[in-house]
Amino acid sequence: MGVTYSGSTSMIGDHGGFAHDDTNVMLLVANPRFKARTVSAPAATRQVAPTIVKALGLNPAALDAVRAEGTQVLSEVVGELAR
């Protein structure tokens, strides 16, 4: 799963699919104030941008997609920022 082997010279890329290893992404959030830990909670890739914006001290609601979709910042990061 997640790997395409092809002898074709016309195929130059693959955009993945919906297999488990295609839809799970590891995310590393680093900040000297954060306590080191591993979180295994599910997160959507659409949560990455508002989480970064929040970590930078900006308002995620300034992003059109966040307002339109109601996307939430990752709660673990919000908790660490509040410490």
Side-chain angles (χ1 to χ4, degrees):
M1 291 189 302
V3 179
T4 302
Y5 296 98
S6 174
S8 171
T9 57
S10 65
M11 182 176 166
I12 59 171
D14 177 39
H15 298 285
F18 290 102
H20 181 75
D21 62 339
D22 292 327
T23 59
N24 287 272
V25 179
M26 183 183 301
L27 178 65
L28 173 68
V29 179
N31 183 313
R33 294 182 4 209
F34 288 8
K35 179 180 139 190
R37 64 187 177 133
T38 300
V39 177
S40 297
T45 54
R46 68 177 180 247
Q47 291 178 281
V48 174
T51 299
I52 291 170
V53 169
K54 178 74 173 177
L56 290 171
L58 303 171
N59 183 2
L63 300 173
D64 292 340
V66 170
R67 287 193 314 275
E69 298 175 5
T71 307
Q72 298 297 308
V73 174
L74 294 171
S75 60
E76 294 81 10
V77 173
V78 172
E80 287 293 329
L81 290 170
R83 289 185 338 117

